[in-house]
């Protein structure tokens, strides 16, 4: 069996996209306590699917996976944060005024996710205090956290790649 088959590539890309985008959106909404506009989630999902489909033709090693996944993680987070800032403003509420007059409602129409009251960190929590602090090291800590998440996801994805390749080899040997 070939890992480059069109149906298998599409299935792998769709599964990867669903898993990655769902986890990314959920964690971003949970940590920021602000929903994501559909205008940012859909392009990220389409982009992730396109990249995953293009690269699903053969088994990849950890280096190429991590080299692609870490920048994708940073780009998705940047798009999500920018979308939240455009649609909801710094206070987390709807933006009014000139942005709505020039058609931002098309971009901001619909939202994905809401903060979970039983899971979200209360305003007085240490995570909220850390994220609201003006410490100049905070952006570097957030960058380090995103790179760490990207590397962890790459190791996890590499394990899945190896397992799928072994499964396909076993099925083709059995057939």
């Amino acid at each position: 069996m070939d890992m480059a088959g069109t149906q298998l590539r599409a299935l792998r890309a769709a599964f990867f996209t669903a898993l990655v985008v769902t986890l990314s959106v959920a964690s971003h909404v949970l940590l920021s306590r602000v929903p994501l506009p559909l205008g940012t989630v859909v392009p990220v999902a389409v982009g992730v699917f396109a990249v995953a489909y293009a690269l699903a033709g053969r088994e990849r090693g950890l280096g190429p996976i991590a080299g692609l996944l870490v920048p994708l993680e940073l780009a998705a987070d940047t798009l999500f944060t920018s979308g939240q800032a455009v649609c909801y403003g710094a206070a987390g509420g709807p933006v009014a005024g000139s942005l709505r007059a020039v058609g931002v409602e098309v971009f901001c129409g619909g939202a994905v996710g809401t903060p979970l009251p039983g899971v979200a960190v209360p305003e007085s929590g240490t995570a909220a205090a850390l994220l609201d602090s003006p410490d100049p090291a905070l952006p570097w800590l957030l960058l380090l956290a995103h790179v760490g998440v990207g590397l962890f996801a790459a190791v996890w994805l590499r394990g899945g790649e190896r397992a799928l390749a072994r499964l396909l080899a076993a099925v083709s040997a059995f057939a």
Side-chain angles (χ1 to χ4, degrees):
M1 298 187 97
D2 184 21
M3 288 182 73
T6 303
Q7 287 101 359
L8 184 58
R9 284 178 79 169
L11 182 65
R12 289 174 68 204
F15 180 75
F16 177 74
T17 301
L19 186 67
V20 167
V21 172
T22 301
L23 290 174
S24 183
V25 166
S27 64
H28 199 88
V29 169
L30 191 66
L31 291 174
S32 67
R33 296 183 302 265
V34 177
L36 285 169
L38 280 174
T40 58
V41 176
V42 170
V44 166
V46 168
V48 168
F49 179 80
V51 169
Y53 184 79
L55 297 176
R58 64 179 177 87
E59 184 181 3
R60 308 256 179 224
L62 181 60
I65 292 172
L68 185 67
L69 204 55
V70 171
L72 279 176
E73 157 74 23
L74 295 172
D77 180 66
T78 301
L79 286 173
F80 288 161
T81 302
S82 300
Q84 285 175 325
V86 166
C87 292
Y88 305 116
V95 176
S98 63
L99 285 178
R100 294 281 180 200
V102 295
V104 174
E105 67 274 355
V106 173
F107 175 76
C108 297
V112 176
T114 58
L116 300 173
V119 179
V121 179
E123 291 297 324
S124 62
T126 36
L130 177 65
L131 290 174
D132 292 336
S133 94
D135 187 3
L138 181 64
W140 294 104
L141 290 173
L142 289 174
L143 176 65
L144 184 64
H146 280 293
V147 169
V149 166
L151 291 174
F152 175 75
V155 169
W156 184 40
L157 184 60
R158 174 64 185 128
E161 284 278 298
R162 188 177 316 121
L164 180 63
R166 287 180 182 168
L167 177 68
L168 291 176
V171 167
S172 67
F174 181 74

